Amino acid sequence: MELTTIKDGFDHVTKKQKLSSSKAQEVFDLIDKEMKQTLQKLQSSNGCESQVDCKSSLAELKVKLKEIAPLSQLESMQKELNLALSKYPKILEKSFIPDISKAYRNIDFDTHTINEIIGSHFYRQGLFEVGDCFISETEESESVVAMKSQFQELFRIVEAMKHRNLEPALNWVVINSDKLKPNGSDILLKLHSLQFVEIVQKGNRDRALQYSKTCLAPFASNYMAEIQRLMGSLLWTGRLEYSPYSQLLSPAIWDKVTGELTRQFCNILGQSYKSPLSVTMAAGIQGLPPLLKFMNVMAGKRQEFQSMKQLPVPVELNHEFQFHSIFVCPVSKEQSTEENPPMLMSCGHVLCKQSITKMSKNGTKAFKCPYCPSDVDSAQCRPLIF
């Protein structure tokens, strides 16, 4: 969502507020100065002329206060501030449409699946008590509860890593090594590297050498450069922070390895790295504005919108929300669907089925590929599955 307009409006209001406050303080200081000067004159005057002096001093003060015109100055600044404040809610209303029901579609939700997604989201966030309460109130099956124990193990490992304790993580990786190998994961080397650096930093060079022989040597054939760098750090045992290898102590490395371990953990469980609920909400928030704009244009055709099988307007989502390949036919300029799948032609180029049917006159004649001069027989076209 574009927030530049909102930020500019907020900055404008803030600027006016600061100017108004500064001007008010300036006026108050000026009035205070004039009153103090008059008071000093009154206190210093004595004798028979004191009464005359008092009257003249007060008259002079009255003239000066009139020249300062505090009310007009304050009213002017306050008027500008009020104007800016009155415009800002309109900017918010324009940017944040309070009624999003226009973009709703009448879809039959699988309540059981939705409850499972919400319950698993709580467990993924470490909110185990909240998740238990939700599952209990929705009376869901034990399938989600089974996920709880798995994520409890993950959180125990992550919590231990926060305290520089790698033993639970190493044990989990060793136990699941057969499942990690097909993924080409190097998480075990990364964990051993962290442990090696911890030993070196504590000043135990002999133990570090022994640890490298036992735990790092098996990786030498594929990760020689990484291991050589670790072995070079031995020259700075106990004082890595002053060495060329000080970056090995960076907390960012621990965060990165923790994230990698979490990703591999979820992968083995058959779960996505990010919560499906979080991804769905984030994608929906990003896709909502163009849909609302479309519905404002199609205000009188809501029933037509409800019956559409695909979105009537292009909704651009960030790359992080794109999980599947899509194909847009270069002839019809339409995205492929199950009813209109991409078809691989004999020349190796791809068009959608409906475009091929139209160009071949329902398969009665060959046609030229729009990419190359090859003649294409529609009977030889095959569905292309991404």
Side-chain angles (χ1 to χ4, degrees):
M1 182 183 292
E2 183 57 59
L3 298 178
T4 303
T5 305
I6 297 174
K7 183 180 182 302
D8 290 344
F10 180 80
D11 291 342
H12 180 65
V13 172
T14 304
K15 181 180 178 181
K16 290 297 182 182
Q17 190 274 333
K18 289 180 179 178
L19 286 173
S20 178
S21 177
S22 176
K23 187 64 177 179
Q25 188 62 49
E26 181 182 332
V27 171
F28 294 151
D29 290 343
L30 191 57
I31 293 173
D32 181 62
K33 178 183 177 182
E34 294 296 336
M35 293 184 71
K36 285 181 177 178
Q37 288 179 351
T38 302
L39 184 61
Q40 287 178 355
K41 288 181 181 179
L42 293 174
Q43 290 174 343
S44 61
S45 62
N46 51 41
C48 59
E49 298 179 355
S50 61
Q51 188 174 359
V52 177
D53 291 340
C54 287
K55 288 182 179 180
S56 63
S57 296
L58 291 174
E60 185 180 348
L61 174 62
K62 184 177 179 180
V63 172
K64 289 183 177 180
L65 290 178
K66 191 173 181 180
E67 291 176 353
I68 294 173
L71 285 179
S72 60
Q73 289 196 57
L74 294 176
E75 284 176 357
S76 174
M77 293 304 301
Q78 190 63 38
K79 186 177 180 180
E80 293 183 18
L81 174 59
N82 290 341
L83 182 62
L85 284 170
S86 65
K87 289 182 178 180
Y88 190 59
K90 296 177 182 178
I91 297 175
L92 291 176
E93 289 176 6
K94 187 176 179 180
S95 302
F96 297 104
I97 301 174
D99 181 15
I100 63 173
S101 61
K102 298 176 183 178
Y104 287 173
R105 303 263 328 248
N106 294 328
I107 299 175
D108 293 329
F109 284 103
D110 183 344
T111 305
H112 169 69
T113 302
I114 296 298
N115 288 341
E116 283 194 341
I117 291 174
I118 295 173
S120 65
H121 175 78
F122 288 133
Y123 291 145
R124 280 173 169 271
Q125 303 303 313
L127 303 172
F128 299 108
E129 292 183 2
V130 178
D132 289 343
C133 180
F134 178 81
I135 295 300
S136 175
E137 292 185 5
T138 55
E139 298 181 351
E140 286 299 324
S141 63
E142 296 296 320
S143 59
V144 182
V145 179
M147 191 182 295
K148 171 187 174 181
S149 61
Q150 296 169 332
F151 279 102
Q152 279 180 324
E153 181 182 6
L154 172 61
F155 272 86
R156 281 195 295 268
I157 294 173
V158 171
E159 192 63 27
M161 290 184 68
K162 289 180 180 178
H163 294 86
R164 296 295 196 266
N165 179 9
L166 292 169
E167 186 176 351
L170 287 167
N171 290 339
W172 180 85
V173 171
V174 171
I175 293 172
N176 294 277
S177 58
D178 292 338
K179 298 177 183 177
L180 291 168
K181 283 180 182 178
N183 300 332
S185 173
D186 62 348
I187 187 65
L188 183 57
L189 171 63
K190 291 177 179 177
L191 290 171
H192 281 315
S193 298
L194 289 177
Q195 188 66 64
F196 176 82
V197 172
E198 284 291 293
I199 297 172
V200 171
Q201 182 60 7
K202 290 178 181 177
N204 197 331
R205 182 175 295 174
D206 292 338
R207 187 186 167 202
L209 279 170
Q210 185 59 42
Y211 190 87
S212 66
K213 291 177 183 178
T214 305
C215 302
L216 297 179
F219 298 95
S221 58
N222 296 323
Y223 300 95
M224 180 58 73
E226 289 85 347
I227 293 176
Q228 285 177 336
R229 181 164 172 262
L230 290 171
M231 298 309 295
S233 67
L234 282 171
L235 297 173
W236 300 83
T237 301
R239 48 198 178 95
L240 277 179
E241 64 272 24
Y242 306 110
S243 74
Y245 304 94
S246 58
Q247 65 270 26
L248 293 174
L249 298 173
S250 172
I253 297 178
W254 282 81
D255 294 339
K256 187 176 180 180
V257 175
T258 301
E260 175 65 19
L261 179 69
T262 303
R263 189 181 296 275
Q264 294 297 337
F265 193 100
C266 292
N267 188 39
I268 288 178
L269 293 181
Q271 300 288 330
S272 60
Y273 173 59
K274 294 183 178 179
S275 165
L277 182 62
S278 297
V279 173
T280 302
M281 292 296 294
I285 290 171
Q286 192 174 117
L288 186 60
L291 285 178
L292 288 171
K293 288 182 181 179
F294 173 78
M295 289 312 300
N296 286 332
V297 176
M298 301 282 289
K301 299 182 179 181
R302 180 170 176 77
Q303 192 61 37
E304 183 180 332
F305 174 64
Q306 293 290 344
S307 61
M308 292 178 179
K309 293 185 178 180
Q310 63 183 43
L311 295 177
V313 291
V315 177
E316 298 293 335
L317 297 179
N318 291 343
H319 182 71
E320 60 185 297
F321 300 122
Q322 298 175 15
F323 302 99
H324 306 285
S325 299
I326 61 172
F327 176 74
V328 176
C329 179
V331 174
S332 65
K333 309 300 182 185
E334 294 180 354
Q335 186 174 316
S336 61
T337 62
E338 291 184 3
E339 296 77 16
N340 185 29
M343 304 289 289
L344 180 66
M345 299 183 292
S346 56
C347 61
H349 294 121
V350 182
L351 297 178
C352 276
K353 183 178 180 179
Q354 290 179 0
S355 296
I356 291 176
T357 301
K358 185 176 181 180
M359 295 175 72
S360 65
K361 305 295 183 183
N362 290 324
T364 59
K365 54 177 284 189
F367 63 94
K368 284 193 177 295
C369 171
Y371 286 109
C372 64
S374 301
D375 290 325
V376 179
D377 182 357
S378 61
Q380 297 179 356
C381 298
R382 296 289 179 267
L384 183 63
I385 300 174
F386 290 108

